[in-house]
PDB file of all heavy atoms in Angstrom:
ATOM      1  N   LYS H   1      74.406  15.501 141.471  1.00 50.00           N
ATOM      2  CA  LYS H   1      75.536  16.434 141.392  1.00 50.00           C
ATOM      3  C   LYS H   1      76.341  16.189 140.125  1.00 50.00           C
ATOM      4  O   LYS H   1      76.747  17.121 139.423  1.00 50.00           O
ATOM      5  CB  LYS H   1      76.442  16.285 142.615  1.00 50.00           C
ATOM      6  CG  LYS H   1      75.854  16.798 143.917  1.00 50.00           C
ATOM      7  CD  LYS H   1      75.916  18.313 143.958  1.00 50.00           C
ATOM      8  CE  LYS H   1      75.441  18.839 145.324  1.00 50.00           C
ATOM      9  NZ  LYS H   1      75.460  20.317 145.364  1.00 50.00           N
ATOM     10  N   MET H   2      76.575  14.912 139.838  1.00 51.00           N
ATOM     11  CA  MET H   2      77.353  14.562 138.660  1.00 51.00           C
ATOM     12  C   MET H   2      76.627  14.974 137.385  1.00 51.00           C
ATOM     13  O   MET H   2      77.239  15.429 136.414  1.00 51.00           O
ATOM     14  CB  MET H   2      77.655  13.054 138.648  1.00 51.00           C
ATOM     15  CG  MET H   2      78.608  12.610 139.752  1.00 51.00           C
ATOM     16  SD  MET H   2      78.873  10.824 139.773  1.00 51.00           S
ATOM     17  CE  MET H   2      79.761  10.609 138.224  1.00 51.00           C
ATOM     18  N   LYS H   3      75.305  14.811 137.378  1.00 53.00           N
ATOM     19  CA  LYS H   3      74.530  15.245 136.221  1.00 53.00           C
ATOM     20  C   LYS H   3      74.632  16.751 136.038  1.00 53.00           C
ATOM     21  O   LYS H   3      74.766  17.249 134.915  1.00 53.00           O
ATOM     22  CB  LYS H   3      73.058  14.848 136.404  1.00 53.00           C
ATOM     23  CG  LYS H   3      72.776  13.366 136.196  1.00 53.00           C
ATOM     24  CD  LYS H   3      71.283  13.092 136.337  1.00 53.00           C
ATOM     25  CE  LYS H   3      70.973  11.610 136.108  1.00 53.00           C
ATOM     26  NZ  LYS H   3      69.518  11.341 136.267  1.00 53.00           N
ATOM     27  N   ALA H   4      74.568  17.467 137.169  1.00 50.00           N
ATOM     28  CA  ALA H   4      74.651  18.935 137.098  1.00 50.00           C
ATOM     29  C   ALA H   4      75.998  19.381 136.550  1.00 50.00           C
ATOM     30  O   ALA H   4      76.089  20.311 135.741  1.00 50.00           O
ATOM     31  CB  ALA H   4      74.425  19.540 138.483  1.00 50.00           C
ATOM     32  N   VAL H   5      77.063  18.707 136.991  1.00 49.00           N
ATOM     33  CA  VAL H   5      78.406  19.032 136.508  1.00 49.00           C
ATOM     34  C   VAL H   5      78.532  18.688 135.027  1.00 49.00           C
ATOM     35  O   VAL H   5      79.120  19.435 134.238  1.00 49.00           O
ATOM     36  CB  VAL H   5      79.474  18.284 137.331  1.00 49.00           C
ATOM     37  CG1 VAL H   5      80.847  18.430 136.693  1.00 49.00           C
ATOM     38  CG2 VAL H   5      79.497  18.809 138.762  1.00 49.00           C
ATOM     39  N   ALA H   6      77.969  17.528 134.647  1.00 54.00           N
ATOM     40  CA  ALA H   6      78.074  17.079 133.265  1.00 54.00           C
ATOM     41  C   ALA H   6      77.373  18.030 132.306  1.00 54.00           C
ATOM     42  O   ALA H   6      77.750  18.141 131.138  1.00 54.00           O
ATOM     43  CB  ALA H   6      77.492  15.672 133.131  1.00 54.00           C
ATOM     44  N   GLU H   7      76.348  18.730 132.774  1.00 59.00           N
ATOM     45  CA  GLU H   7      75.608  19.653 131.923  1.00 59.00           C
ATOM     46  C   GLU H   7      76.320  20.987 131.749  1.00 59.00           C
ATOM     47  O   GLU H   7      75.873  21.841 130.985  1.00 59.00           O
ATOM     48  CB  GLU H   7      74.203  19.887 132.513  1.00 59.00           C
ATOM     49  CG  GLU H   7      73.324  18.648 132.449  1.00 59.00           C
ATOM     50  CD  GLU H   7      72.027  18.845 133.208  1.00 59.00           C
ATOM     51  OE1 GLU H   7      71.878  19.922 133.831  1.00 59.00           O
ATOM     52  OE2 GLU H   7      71.176  17.938 133.174  1.00 59.00           O
ATOM     53  N   ARG H   8      77.429  21.213 132.492  1.00 63.00           N
ATOM     54  CA  ARG H   8      78.155  22.482 132.422  1.00 63.00           C
ATOM     55  C   ARG H   8      79.473  22.293 131.712  1.00 63.00           C
ATOM     56  O   ARG H   8      80.014  21.198 131.641  1.00 63.00           O
ATOM     57  CB  ARG H   8      78.375  23.032 133.827  1.00 63.00           C
ATOM     58  CG  ARG H   8      77.145  22.979 134.713  1.00 63.00           C
ATOM     59  CD  ARG H   8      77.307  23.807 135.944  1.00 63.00           C
ATOM     60  NE  ARG H   8      77.332  25.232 135.640  1.00 63.00           N
ATOM     61  CZ  ARG H   8      77.660  26.160 136.525  1.00 63.00           C
ATOM     62  NH1 ARG H   8      78.027  25.794 137.739  1.00 63.00           N
ATOM     63  NH2 ARG H   8      77.651  27.425 136.202  1.00 63.00           N
ATOM     64  N   THR H   9      80.001  23.407 131.210  1.00 65.00           N
ATOM     65  CA  THR H   9      81.307  23.346 130.553  1.00 65.00           C
ATOM     66  C   THR H   9      82.412  23.299 131.610  1.00 65.00           C
ATOM     67  O   THR H   9      82.191  23.646 132.787  1.00 65.00           O
ATOM     68  CB  THR H   9      81.525  24.573 129.660  1.00 65.00           C
ATOM     69  OG1 THR H   9      81.601  25.753 130.485  1.00 65.00           O
ATOM     70  CG2 THR H   9      80.392  24.714 128.649  1.00 65.00           C
ATOM     71  N   PHE H  10      83.590  22.882 131.176  1.00 49.00           N
ATOM     72  CA  PHE H  10      84.731  22.828 132.090  1.00 49.00           C
ATOM     73  C   PHE H  10      85.059  24.215 132.629  1.00 49.00           C
ATOM     74  O   PHE H  10      85.395  24.377 133.810  1.00 49.00           O
ATOM     75  CB  PHE H  10      85.941  22.233 131.364  1.00 49.00           C
ATOM     76  CG  PHE H  10      87.181  22.163 132.214  1.00 49.00           C
ATOM     77  CD1 PHE H  10      87.298  21.226 133.230  1.00 49.00           C
ATOM     78  CD2 PHE H  10      88.226  23.056 131.997  1.00 49.00           C
ATOM     79  CE1 PHE H  10      88.435  21.170 134.022  1.00 49.00           C
ATOM     80  CE2 PHE H  10      89.363  23.004 132.783  1.00 49.00           C
ATOM     81  CZ  PHE H  10      89.476  22.061 133.791  1.00 49.00           C
ATOM     82  N   THR H  11      84.941  25.219 131.782  1.00 52.00           N
ATOM     83  CA  THR H  11      85.221  26.604 132.205  1.00 52.00           C
ATOM     84  C   THR H  11      84.279  27.037 133.311  1.00 52.00           C
ATOM     85  O   THR H  11      84.688  27.690 134.283  1.00 52.00           O
ATOM     86  CB  THR H  11      85.103  27.566 131.008  1.00 52.00           C
ATOM     87  OG1 THR H  11      86.006  27.148 129.984  1.00 52.00           O
ATOM     88  CG2 THR H  11      85.434  28.993 131.417  1.00 52.00           C
ATOM     89  N   GLU H  12      82.999  26.674 133.199  1.00 53.00           N
ATOM     90  CA  GLU H  12      82.019  27.044 134.219  1.00 53.00           C
ATOM     91  C   GLU H  12      82.328  26.352 135.544  1.00 53.00           C
ATOM     92  O   GLU H  12      82.183  26.945 136.612  1.00 53.00           O
ATOM     93  CB  GLU H  12      80.614  26.686 133.746  1.00 53.00           C
ATOM     94  CG  GLU H  12      80.125  27.554 132.594  1.00 53.00           C
ATOM     95  CD  GLU H  12      78.793  27.067 132.038  1.00 53.00           C
ATOM     96  OE1 GLU H  12      78.532  25.844 132.109  1.00 53.00           O
ATOM     97  OE2 GLU H  12      78.025  27.907 131.536  1.00 53.00           O
ATOM     98  N   VAL H  13      82.738  25.105 135.463  1.00 52.00           N
ATOM     99  CA  VAL H  13      83.076  24.370 136.690  1.00 52.00           C
ATOM    100  C   VAL H  13      84.282  25.008 137.381  1.00 52.00           C
ATOM    101  O   VAL H  13      84.286  25.196 138.600  1.00 52.00           O
ATOM    102  CB  VAL H  13      83.363  22.886 136.362  1.00 52.00           C
ATOM    103  CG1 VAL H  13      83.868  22.155 137.608  1.00 52.00           C
ATOM    104  CG2 VAL H  13      82.102  22.207 135.833  1.00 52.00           C
ATOM    105  N   VAL H  14      85.318  25.329 136.604  1.00 45.00           N
ATOM    106  CA  VAL H  14      86.506  25.969 137.171  1.00 45.00           C
ATOM    107  C   VAL H  14      86.139  27.306 137.809  1.00 45.00           C
ATOM    108  O   VAL H  14      86.619  27.655 138.898  1.00 45.00           O
ATOM    109  CB  VAL H  14      87.582  26.167 136.080  1.00 45.00           C
ATOM    110  CG1 VAL H  14      88.723  27.049 136.597  1.00 45.00           C
ATOM    111  CG2 VAL H  14      88.128  24.821 135.635  1.00 45.00           C
ATOM    112  N   TYR H  15      85.248  28.059 137.140  1.00 45.00           N
ATOM    113  CA  TYR H  15      84.826  29.352 137.689  1.00 45.00           C
ATOM    114  C   TYR H  15      84.150  29.176 139.041  1.00 45.00           C
ATOM    115  O   TYR H  15      84.454  29.887 140.003  1.00 45.00           O
ATOM    116  CB  TYR H  15      83.877  30.052 136.717  1.00 45.00           C
ATOM    117  CG  TYR H  15      83.353  31.362 137.258  1.00 45.00           C
ATOM    118  CD1 TYR H  15      84.090  32.531 137.142  1.00 45.00           C
ATOM    119  CD2 TYR H  15      82.122  31.424 137.906  1.00 45.00           C
ATOM    120  CE1 TYR H  15      83.626  33.731 137.657  1.00 45.00           C
ATOM    121  CE2 TYR H  15      81.636  32.614 138.428  1.00 45.00           C
ATOM    122  CZ  TYR H  15      82.394  33.765 138.291  1.00 45.00           C
ATOM    123  OH  TYR H  15      81.933  34.944 138.815  1.00 45.00           O
ATOM    124  N   ASP H  16      83.220  28.226 139.123  1.00 52.00           N
ATOM    125  CA  ASP H  16      82.476  28.020 140.370  1.00 52.00           C
ATOM    126  C   ASP H  16      83.350  27.461 141.497  1.00 52.00           C
ATOM    127  O   ASP H  16      83.212  27.836 142.656  1.00 52.00           O
ATOM    128  CB  ASP H  16      81.292  27.071 140.130  1.00 52.00           C
ATOM    129  CG  ASP H  16      80.188  27.735 139.315  1.00 52.00           C
ATOM    130  OD1 ASP H  16      80.158  28.983 139.284  1.00 52.00           O
ATOM    131  OD2 ASP H  16      79.378  27.010 138.716  1.00 52.00           O
ATOM    132  N   VAL H  17      84.249  26.555 141.128  1.00 46.00           N
ATOM    133  CA  VAL H  17      85.040  25.858 142.143  1.00 46.00           C
ATOM    134  C   VAL H  17      86.260  26.666 142.586  1.00 46.00           C
ATOM    135  O   VAL H  17      86.615  26.678 143.767  1.00 46.00           O
ATOM    136  CB  VAL H  17      85.481  24.474 141.618  1.00 46.00           C
ATOM    137  CG1 VAL H  17      86.408  23.787 142.618  1.00 46.00           C
ATOM    138  CG2 VAL H  17      84.274  23.604 141.354  1.00 46.00           C
ATOM    139  N   LEU H  18      86.898  27.369 141.638  1.00 45.00           N
ATOM    140  CA  LEU H  18      88.150  28.060 141.955  1.00 45.00           C
ATOM    141  C   LEU H  18      88.039  29.582 141.919  1.00 45.00           C
ATOM    142  O   LEU H  18      88.307  30.255 142.911  1.00 45.00           O
ATOM    143  CB  LEU H  18      89.252  27.609 140.978  1.00 45.00           C
ATOM    144  CG  LEU H  18      89.694  26.150 141.096  1.00 45.00           C
ATOM    145  CD1 LEU H  18      90.735  25.836 140.026  1.00 45.00           C
ATOM    146  CD2 LEU H  18      90.279  25.872 142.481  1.00 45.00           C
ATOM    147  N   GLN H  19      87.632  30.133 140.765  1.00 46.00           N
ATOM    148  CA  GLN H  19      87.713  31.583 140.624  1.00 46.00           C
ATOM    149  C   GLN H  19      86.765  32.327 141.551  1.00 46.00           C
ATOM    150  O   GLN H  19      87.166  33.294 142.201  1.00 46.00           O
ATOM    151  CB  GLN H  19      87.438  31.998 139.175  1.00 46.00           C
ATOM    152  CG  GLN H  19      87.530  33.534 138.997  1.00 46.00           C
ATOM    153  CD  GLN H  19      87.439  33.958 137.557  1.00 46.00           C
ATOM    154  OE1 GLN H  19      87.832  33.233 136.666  1.00 46.00           O
ATOM    155  NE2 GLN H  19      86.918  35.160 137.327  1.00 46.00           N
ATOM    156  N   ALA H  20      85.508  31.914 141.606  1.00 53.00           N
ATOM    157  CA  ALA H  20      84.534  32.649 142.423  1.00 53.00           C
ATOM    158  C   ALA H  20      84.940  32.718 143.896  1.00 53.00           C
ATOM    159  O   ALA H  20      84.923  33.798 144.491  1.00 53.00           O
ATOM    160  CB  ALA H  20      83.149  32.027 142.270  1.00 53.00           C
ATOM    161  N   PRO H  21      85.317  31.579 144.536  1.00 53.00           N
ATOM    162  CA  PRO H  21      85.748  31.676 145.941  1.00 53.00           C
ATOM    163  C   PRO H  21      86.988  32.550 146.122  1.00 53.00           C
ATOM    164  O   PRO H  21      87.056  33.346 147.064  1.00 53.00           O
ATOM    165  CB  PRO H  21      86.037  30.214 146.319  1.00 53.00           C
ATOM    166  CG  PRO H  21      85.234  29.405 145.369  1.00 53.00           C
ATOM    167  CD  PRO H  21      85.248  30.172 144.091  1.00 53.00           C
ATOM    168  N   LEU H  22      87.980  32.403 145.226  1.00 50.00           N
ATOM    169  CA  LEU H  22      89.193  33.215 145.337  1.00 50.00           C
ATOM    170  C   LEU H  22      88.896  34.688 145.091  1.00 50.00           C
ATOM    171  O   LEU H  22      89.454  35.570 145.753  1.00 50.00           O
ATOM    172  CB  LEU H  22      90.250  32.717 144.350  1.00 50.00           C
ATOM    173  CG  LEU H  22      90.901  31.373 144.690  1.00 50.00           C
ATOM    174  CD1 LEU H  22      91.813  30.928 143.550  1.00 50.00           C
ATOM    175  CD2 LEU H  22      91.681  31.455 146.000  1.00 50.00           C
ATOM    176  N   GLN H  23      88.018  34.962 144.153  1.00 53.00           N
ATOM    177  CA  GLN H  23      87.652  36.339 143.844  1.00 53.00           C
ATOM    178  C   GLN H  23      86.959  36.980 145.045  1.00 53.00           C
ATOM    179  O   GLN H  23      87.220  38.145 145.379  1.00 53.00           O
ATOM    180  CB  GLN H  23      86.730  36.357 142.616  1.00 53.00           C
ATOM    181  CG  GLN H  23      86.573  37.726 141.975  1.00 53.00           C
ATOM    182  CD  GLN H  23      85.768  37.634 140.690  1.00 53.00           C
ATOM    183  OE1 GLN H  23      85.801  36.617 139.994  1.00 53.00           O
ATOM    184  NE2 GLN H  23      85.041  38.686 140.371  1.00 53.00           N
ATOM    185  N   ASN H  24      86.081  36.238 145.694  1.00 57.00           N
ATOM    186  CA  ASN H  24      85.415  36.760 146.891  1.00 57.00           C
ATOM    187  C   ASN H  24      86.406  36.981 148.029  1.00 57.00           C
ATOM    188  O   ASN H  24      86.275  37.917 148.813  1.00 57.00           O
ATOM    189  CB  ASN H  24      84.307  35.799 147.336  1.00 57.00           C
ATOM    190  CG  ASN H  24      83.138  35.770 146.368  1.00 57.00           C
ATOM    191  OD1 ASN H  24      82.871  36.751 145.685  1.00 57.00           O
ATOM    192  ND2 ASN H  24      82.443  34.646 146.296  1.00 57.00           N
ATOM    193  N   LEU H  25      87.425  36.106 148.115  1.00 67.00           N
ATOM    194  CA  LEU H  25      88.437  36.258 149.154  1.00 67.00           C
ATOM    195  C   LEU H  25      89.264  37.517 148.945  1.00 67.00           C
ATOM    196  O   LEU H  25      89.595  38.214 149.905  1.00 67.00           O
ATOM    197  CB  LEU H  25      89.348  35.025 149.183  1.00 67.00           C
ATOM    198  CG  LEU H  25      90.480  35.041 150.225  1.00 67.00           C
ATOM    199  CD1 LEU H  25      89.905  35.097 151.635  1.00 67.00           C
ATOM    200  CD2 LEU H  25      91.375  33.816 150.063  1.00 67.00           C
ATOM    201  N   THR H  26      89.588  37.823 147.685  1.00 74.00           N
ATOM    202  CA  THR H  26      90.375  39.029 147.431  1.00 74.00           C
ATOM    203  C   THR H  26      89.597  40.291 147.764  1.00 74.00           C
ATOM    204  O   THR H  26      90.191  41.308 148.118  1.00 74.00           O
ATOM    205  CB  THR H  26      90.813  39.097 145.949  1.00 74.00           C
ATOM    206  OG1 THR H  26      89.649  39.118 145.106  1.00 74.00           O
ATOM    207  CG2 THR H  26      91.694  37.918 145.583  1.00 74.00           C
ATOM    208  N   ASP H  27      88.277  40.238 147.658  1.00 82.00           N
ATOM    209  CA  ASP H  27      87.463  41.428 147.906  1.00 82.00           C
ATOM    210  C   ASP H  27      87.110  41.565 149.381  1.00 82.00           C
ATOM    211  O   ASP H  27      85.960  41.774 149.749  1.00 82.00           O
ATOM    212  CB  ASP H  27      86.183  41.379 147.057  1.00 82.00           C
ATOM    213  CG  ASP H  27      85.433  42.699 147.110  1.00 82.00           C
ATOM    214  OD1 ASP H  27      86.088  43.754 147.054  1.00 82.00           O
ATOM    215  OD2 ASP H  27      84.192  42.668 147.215  1.00 82.00           O
ATOM    216  N   THR H  28      88.106  41.422 150.217  1.00 88.00           N
ATOM    217  CA  THR H  28      87.945  41.622 151.655  1.00 88.00           C
ATOM    218  C   THR H  28      89.103  42.458 152.163  1.00 88.00           C
ATOM    219  O   THR H  28      90.168  42.518 151.526  1.00 88.00           O
ATOM    220  CB  THR H  28      87.933  40.284 152.421  1.00 88.00           C
ATOM    221  OG1 THR H  28      89.201  39.623 152.242  1.00 88.00           O
ATOM    222  CG2 THR H  28      86.814  39.374 151.943  1.00 88.00           C
ATOM    223  N   LEU H  29      88.911  43.089 153.300  1.00 92.00           N
ATOM    224  CA  LEU H  29      89.995  43.886 153.884  1.00 92.00           C
ATOM    225  C   LEU H  29      91.176  42.986 154.225  1.00 92.00           C
ATOM    226  O   LEU H  29      92.339  43.337 153.956  1.00 92.00           O
ATOM    227  CB  LEU H  29      89.495  44.604 155.138  1.00 92.00           C
ATOM    228  CG  LEU H  29      90.535  45.440 155.892  1.00 92.00           C
ATOM    229  CD1 LEU H  29      91.129  46.514 154.996  1.00 92.00           C
ATOM    230  CD2 LEU H  29      89.900  46.068 157.130  1.00 92.00           C
ATOM    231  N   ALA H  30      90.896  41.824 154.792  1.00 91.00           N
ATOM    232  CA  ALA H  30      91.964  40.892 155.146  1.00 91.00           C
ATOM    233  C   ALA H  30      92.729  40.457 153.902  1.00 91.00           C
ATOM    234  O   ALA H  30      93.963  40.381 153.908  1.00 91.00           O
ATOM    235  CB  ALA H  30      91.390  39.670 155.865  1.00 91.00           C
ATOM    236  N   GLY H  31      91.996  40.172 152.820  1.00 89.00           N
ATOM    237  CA  GLY H  31      92.644  39.762 151.584  1.00 89.00           C
ATOM    238  C   GLY H  31      93.562  40.837 151.038  1.00 89.00           C
ATOM    239  O   GLY H  31      94.687  40.560 150.610  1.00 89.00           O
ATOM    240  N   ALA H  32      93.104  42.088 151.064  1.00 91.00           N
ATOM    241  CA  ALA H  32      93.919  43.202 150.568  1.00 91.00           C
ATOM    242  C   ALA H  32      95.181  43.370 151.404  1.00 91.00           C
ATOM    243  O   ALA H  32      96.277  43.561 150.872  1.00 91.00           O
ATOM    244  CB  ALA H  32      93.095  44.485 150.576  1.00 91.00           C
ATOM    245  N   VAL H  33      95.024  43.303 152.732  1.00 94.00           N
ATOM    246  CA  VAL H  33      96.177  43.480 153.622  1.00 94.00           C
ATOM    247  C   VAL H  33      97.189  42.354 153.431  1.00 94.00           C
ATOM    248  O   VAL H  33      98.403  42.594 153.377  1.00 94.00           O
ATOM    249  CB  VAL H  33      95.712  43.554 155.092  1.00 94.00           C
ATOM    250  CG1 VAL H  33      96.909  43.520 156.047  1.00 94.00           C
ATOM    251  CG2 VAL H  33      94.895  44.826 155.325  1.00 94.00           C
ATOM    252  N   ILE H  34      96.696  41.125 153.317  1.00 91.00           N
ATOM    253  CA  ILE H  34      97.601  39.984 153.120  1.00 91.00           C
ATOM    254  C   ILE H  34      98.406  40.149 151.835  1.00 91.00           C
ATOM    255  O   ILE H  34      99.618  39.898 151.804  1.00 91.00           O
ATOM    256  CB  ILE H  34      96.810  38.662 153.105  1.00 91.00           C
ATOM    257  CG1 ILE H  34      96.289  38.345 154.512  1.00 91.00           C
ATOM    258  CG2 ILE H  34      97.684  37.512 152.605  1.00 91.00           C
ATOM    259  CD1 ILE H  34      95.322  37.177 154.555  1.00 91.00           C
ATOM    260  N   ILE H  35      97.756  40.597 150.763  1.00 91.00           N
ATOM    261  CA  ILE H  35      98.450  40.767 149.486  1.00 91.00           C
ATOM    262  C   ILE H  35      99.586  41.776 149.612  1.00 91.00           C
ATOM    263  O   ILE H  35     100.729  41.507 149.217  1.00 91.00           O
ATOM    264  CB  ILE H  35      97.467  41.202 148.384  1.00 91.00           C
ATOM    265  CG1 ILE H  35      96.489  40.072 148.054  1.00 91.00           C
ATOM    266  CG2 ILE H  35      98.226  41.606 147.122  1.00 91.00           C
ATOM    267  CD1 ILE H  35      95.357  40.493 147.130  1.00 91.00           C
ATOM    268  N   VAL H  36      99.299  42.952 150.178  1.00 93.00           N
ATOM    269  CA  VAL H  36     100.332  44.002 150.227  1.00 93.00           C
ATOM    270  C   VAL H  36     101.433  43.659 151.222  1.00 93.00           C
ATOM    271  O   VAL H  36     102.605  44.001 151.005  1.00 93.00           O
ATOM    272  CB  VAL H  36      99.712  45.380 150.538  1.00 93.00           C
ATOM    273  CG1 VAL H  36      98.762  45.801 149.439  1.00 93.00           C
ATOM    274  CG2 VAL H  36      99.012  45.402 151.895  1.00 93.00           C
ATOM    275  N   VAL H  37     101.073  42.973 152.323  1.00 94.00           N
ATOM    276  CA  VAL H  37     102.097  42.584 153.298  1.00 94.00           C
ATOM    277  C   VAL H  37     103.039  41.544 152.686  1.00 94.00           C
ATOM    278  O   VAL H  37     104.274  41.658 152.805  1.00 94.00           O
ATOM    279  CB  VAL H  37     101.448  42.046 154.585  1.00 94.00           C
ATOM    280  CG1 VAL H  37     102.472  41.332 155.459  1.00 94.00           C
ATOM    281  CG2 VAL H  37     100.810  43.191 155.370  1.00 94.00           C
ATOM    282  N   LEU H  38     102.472  40.537 152.037  1.00 92.00           N
ATOM    283  CA  LEU H  38     103.309  39.523 151.387  1.00 92.00           C
ATOM    284  C   LEU H  38     104.202  40.153 150.322  1.00 92.00           C
ATOM    285  O   LEU H  38     105.374  39.793 150.171  1.00 92.00           O
ATOM    286  CB  LEU H  38     102.435  38.442 150.766  1.00 92.00           C
ATOM    287  CG  LEU H  38     101.792  37.437 151.727  1.00 92.00           C
ATOM    288  CD1 LEU H  38     100.882  36.478 150.964  1.00 92.00           C
ATOM    289  CD2 LEU H  38     102.850  36.653 152.491  1.00 92.00           C
ATOM    290  N   MET H  39     103.653  41.100 149.581  1.00 93.00           N
ATOM    291  CA  MET H  39     104.419  41.769 148.536  1.00 93.00           C
ATOM    292  C   MET H  39     105.625  42.495 149.134  1.00 93.00           C
ATOM    293  O   MET H  39     106.748  42.409 148.616  1.00 93.00           O
ATOM    294  CB  MET H  39     103.505  42.752 147.794  1.00 93.00           C
ATOM    295  CG  MET H  39     104.025  43.189 146.439  1.00 93.00           C
ATOM    296  SD  MET H  39     102.844  44.282 145.609  1.00 93.00           S
ATOM    297  CE  MET H  39     101.413  43.206 145.485  1.00 93.00           C
ATOM    298  N   SER H  40     105.393  43.217 150.238  1.00 95.00           N
ATOM    299  CA  SER H  40     106.477  43.965 150.879  1.00 95.00           C
ATOM    300  C   SER H  40     107.524  43.031 151.489  1.00 95.00           C
ATOM    301  O   SER H  40     108.726  43.289 151.388  1.00 95.00           O
ATOM    302  CB  SER H  40     105.908  44.888 151.965  1.00 95.00           C
ATOM    303  OG  SER H  40     105.154  45.934 151.397  1.00 95.00           O
ATOM    304  N   VAL H  41     107.062  41.949 152.123  1.00 95.00           N
ATOM    305  CA  VAL H  41     107.998  40.997 152.719  1.00 95.00           C
ATOM    306  C   VAL H  41     108.887  40.385 151.647  1.00 95.00           C
ATOM    307  O   VAL H  41     110.109  40.227 151.833  1.00 95.00           O
ATOM    308  CB  VAL H  41     107.241  39.904 153.506  1.00 95.00           C
ATOM    309  CG1 VAL H  41     108.193  38.787 153.923  1.00 95.00           C
ATOM    310  CG2 VAL H  41     106.571  40.507 154.734  1.00 95.00           C
ATOM    311  N   MET H  42     108.290  40.048 150.505  1.00 94.00           N
ATOM    312  CA  MET H  42     109.087  39.486 149.412  1.00 94.00           C
ATOM    313  C   MET H  42     110.116  40.485 148.910  1.00 94.00           C
ATOM    314  O   MET H  42     111.282  40.139 148.694  1.00 94.00           O
ATOM    315  CB  MET H  42     108.167  39.040 148.269  1.00 94.00           C
ATOM    316  CG  MET H  42     107.377  37.785 148.558  1.00 94.00           C
ATOM    317  SD  MET H  42     106.361  37.285 147.131  1.00 94.00           S
ATOM    318  CE  MET H  42     105.605  35.809 147.789  1.00 94.00           C
ATOM    319  N   TRP H  43     109.702  41.729 148.728  1.00 94.00           N
ATOM    320  CA  TRP H  43     110.654  42.749 148.293  1.00 94.00           C
ATOM    321  C   TRP H  43     111.774  42.914 149.303  1.00 94.00           C
ATOM    322  O   TRP H  43     112.945  43.072 148.936  1.00 94.00           O
ATOM    323  CB  TRP H  43     109.941  44.087 148.095  1.00 94.00           C
ATOM    324  CG  TRP H  43     109.435  44.354 146.718  1.00 94.00           C
ATOM    325  CD1 TRP H  43     108.133  44.522 146.331  1.00 94.00           C
ATOM    326  CD2 TRP H  43     110.202  44.511 145.525  1.00 94.00           C
ATOM    327  NE1 TRP H  43     108.044  44.766 144.989  1.00 94.00           N
ATOM    328  CE2 TRP H  43     109.318  44.767 144.455  1.00 94.00           C
ATOM    329  CE3 TRP H  43     111.576  44.449 145.250  1.00 94.00           C
ATOM    330  CZ2 TRP H  43     109.744  44.975 143.153  1.00 94.00           C
ATOM    331  CZ3 TRP H  43     112.001  44.660 143.945  1.00 94.00           C
ATOM    332  CH2 TRP H  43     111.109  44.916 142.920  1.00 94.00           C
TER     333      TRP H  43
END
């Protein structure tokens, strides 16, 4: 695992570990509803 990580750039690691999971979470009905509800509650 460490060798695999070492062969990749820091940007690629961040994408796989953080952006990809979060991006997939936003592309759900639950994710969309949570975003707009939180936005309205804050307002």
Side-chain angles (χ1 to χ4, degrees):
K1 289 283 185 182
M2 292 177 67
K3 285 183 179 179
V5 170
E7 292 172 356
R8 314 194 69 190
T9 66
F10 179 73
T11 302
E12 291 173 330
V13 174
V14 170
Y15 177 83
D16 289 339
V17 175
L18 293 177
Q19 180 173 330
L22 288 174
Q23 195 174 330
N24 291 332
L25 179 62
T26 60
D27 190 41
T28 63
L29 178 59
V33 171
I34 289 171
I35 292 171
V36 297
V37 166
L38 285 176
M39 198 177 300
S40 291
V41 170
M42 287 182 179
W43 268 117

